[in-house]
Amino acid sequence: MKPKHQRLVLVAIALAALVGAGLLAAWGLRNQANFFYVPAQYIAEKPASDRLIRLGGMVEAGSLETLPDGVTVTFTVGDGKARVPVRYTGILPDLFVEGSGVVAEGRRQADGLFLAENLLAKHDENYMPRELEGMDAEAKADTLADTVE
């Protein structure tokens, strides 16, 4: 076999190994990957109930209700086009309030309710720590410089 043919065989083997590694990685992640839905997409596409997904939107004002057990809350996530009822049992994140953004990870129930297993509260880009509220720009810069160093 000529050296040129040997190199071609090695390149073909390397390509086959790369494709095989990619397929194994995709197969291994197929059940671990979860998808992000906004409420309008959640209503339109109705994800499978056994699939772990993320639902993101705004917590609608006046929808947050704590159930008698004290650790279960229900609220509605909306995006201006659709609304999805959500139930979550556990400790709420500090930034979780009505009117704020939220990403809920969980599964769709047969009745359309979204049963959240994990909540991530989002804040807007204008978020300011309480320690920096009321300071002028120079004092903020000094405080930030002190905390970074």
Side-chain angles (χ1 to χ4, degrees):
M1 187 180 279
K2 294 180 180 178
K4 181 179 179 181
H5 291 130
Q6 289 176 343
R7 282 185 292 221
L8 284 174
V9 168
L10 287 176
V11 168
I13 291 172
L15 283 174
L18 283 174
V19 169
L23 290 173
L24 282 174
W27 184 74
L29 291 174
R30 74 181 192 285
N31 288 335
Q32 300 299 321
N34 55 21
F35 298 98
F36 183 82
Y37 288 83
V38 294
Q41 188 181 17
Y42 178 87
I43 298 293
E45 296 180 12
K46 295 189 182 356
S49 61
D50 62 339
R51 176 170 225 140
L52 185 66
I53 64 168
R54 289 185 175 178
L55 175 69
M58 302 298 288
V59 179
E60 300 224 340
S63 68
L64 183 60
E65 179 182 347
T66 303
L67 298 183
D69 67 358
V71 293
T72 302
V73 294
T74 61
F75 56 94
T76 302
V77 174
D79 64 351
K81 298 176 186 171
R83 303 169 64 206
V84 176
V86 177
R87 184 172 59 215
Y88 173 72
T89 301
I91 298 171
L92 294 173
D94 290 339
L95 297 175
F96 182 83
V97 292
E98 291 180 347
S100 69
V102 66
V103 175
E105 186 176 274
R107 300 175 199 283
R108 184 180 74 81
Q109 302 298 296
D111 59 357
L113 176 75
F114 186 79
L115 185 59
E117 299 172 4
N118 191 16
L119 286 183
L120 300 171
K122 296 171 41 178
H123 61 76
D124 64 7
E125 64 273 1
N126 297 322
Y127 174 75
M128 179 66 61
R130 289 183 188 150
E131 295 82 16
L132 299 181
E133 288 180 2
M135 291 183 175
D136 62 355
E138 188 174 317
K140 287 180 186 175
D142 289 342
T143 303
L144 288 175
D146 290 343
T147 58
V148 172
E149 293 176 358

